Amino acid sequence: FYCKMAQREVHQSGWDSKRCVILLGVILDCIALSSCLTVRQSVRLRVGLLSEMNASDTDELWFPQRLDHFNGADGRVWKQRYFINDTFYRSGGPVFLMIGGEGPANPAWMQYGTWLTYARMLGAFCVMLEHRFYGRSHPTEDLSTDNLRYLSSKQALADLAHFRTVLADQMGFAGNKWVAFGGSYPGSLAAWFRLKYPHLVHAAVATSAPVHAVVNFPEYLEVVRQSLTTHSPECPQLVKKASDTLFEKLKDPKTYDQIAKDFSLCEKLQIQTHMDLAYFLETLAGNFMDVVQYNKDNRQFEGAIGTNITIKVLCDIMSDPSRGEPYDRYATIVNLMLKTFFLKCLNVNYSSYIKEMSDTAWKGPALGGGRQWVYQTCTEFGFYQSTDSPNQPFVGFPLPYHLQQCSDIFGASFNASSVADAVQQTNEYYGSYDIRSSRIVFPNGSIDPWHALGITKDISDDLPAVFINGTAHCANMYPAREEDLPQLVFARDHIFSLLQKWLKQ
């Protein structure tokens, strides 16, 4: 949410002030590391300004890509961005393909990450392809709903297939073995690329991949509760007490002025509809959701902000009686996050959010992929992290709130029925948990809420799972460091041994 606030301020105030430089840093910190990103419906994106700047020696390259792979009569093409690193390549070695996701492709991944460690040891040529409609890969003149029909995982996989085929021919890699890498949504794409195009990709590392599409995903918050419990059993209980107290206060409009002050809102709190209420409550809960999802991940190389805020930090605040009641501690965390992201106040206006997400220009929320990813959730995946389970600490943003956003942003035809049909089609097409393929490894972390939709147990010897206790989203993809848990070190080594074995097959 802090990312959306920064985007709004830059959009409204222009680019002529010093302050915009700071806000731009926040935005870019919120733009996803495209190779490992999962954006929630409320659009929380990440990447760093520093990583973009420091990676300037990684040249942008452009591939002439087809607009519609499934209509032979449509000959339109557009330019898709990609990056290469041939530092470690040895003749005859494999080609590693990092798959971009729902945010700009971050060239920092061409210099850092576990996949490059594997590349050095295996003599691999490395390439990263940005996902259509994200970053600087613009297939259409704008993001109108009509144009977004060309945005789908199927088209993205066809992009990968065409790119891989042409690049292999141009660079003499037709006989080399290709390995797909990706984390989060791109992790799913990596698995599906191997599944749907087995003649083009030899193996895949599908990290933190939510391969099961689902409309209602309350399990996300259930895992958040479980992850908070790893610090102390009382932590999620205190969060629940704070959330419940706030919810009760919100029933009385007389409390609104004090609530606005407590949570440093940018304007007077106005709860006129159930959507206003749900948006406010989800925004506050998002602090915990985001911190848990990326708890202790080694993301500094991206220039990511707030990596020092962990589950321990949040739970220590929630357990500190000197900070007042649980409600007061909840507010303290919001103000801590505002300070961390260089923001003076919190904007919780739902109408403003819808207005931004309805902007079809290649600017504003489109900079980080907000409108695009919401479209994909409405037309393919769902993934709506609702409070519909009693086994989680939050309240107030049920499934109808998430579904209503589809209609409010894209029109009445995007509704509960259409989303349910889309999710069913996605699972029918890809197989959900029942993937029938080979040479795909599925790493997941126990702290990461997305593991609830991933493969956490071996499907077969050739479709192994690597479940890493105590780690969060995409942990195995990040650069190694001394303080890594032994099980994380083992997981990286095990994945490498699998690649060694599979590349000999």
Side-chain angles (χ1 to χ4, degrees), residues 65-68 71 73-78 139-140 147 149-150:
Q65 188 61 267
R66 297 167 179 164
L67 177 63
D68 187 353
N71 180 2
D74 189 340
R76 289 176 291 175
V77 296
W78 55 282
T140 55
N147 281 334
R149 73 183 187 275
Y150 298 111

Side-chain angles (χ1 to χ4, degrees), residues 96-157:
F96 285 179
L97 173 58
M98 180 67 79
I99 299 174
E102 65 277 33
N106 186 348
W109 281 91
M110 305 311 294
Q111 300 179 16
Y112 302 94
T114 303
W115 77 307
L116 295 183
T117 302
Y118 298 157
R120 185 178 66 252
M121 293 187 287
L122 296 171
F125 183 95
C126 297
V127 58
M128 176 169 63
L129 182 67
E130 188 168 63
H131 196 296
R132 61 168 51 206
F133 282 94
Y134 293 99
R136 298 181 185 177
S137 296
H138 301 172
T140 55
E141 63 180 3
D142 61 26
L143 294 166
S144 67
T145 304
D146 185 55
N147 281 334
L148 286 176
R149 73 183 187 275
Y150 298 111
L151 171 59
S152 69
S153 59
K154 293 179 183 178
Q155 292 281 6
L157 290 175

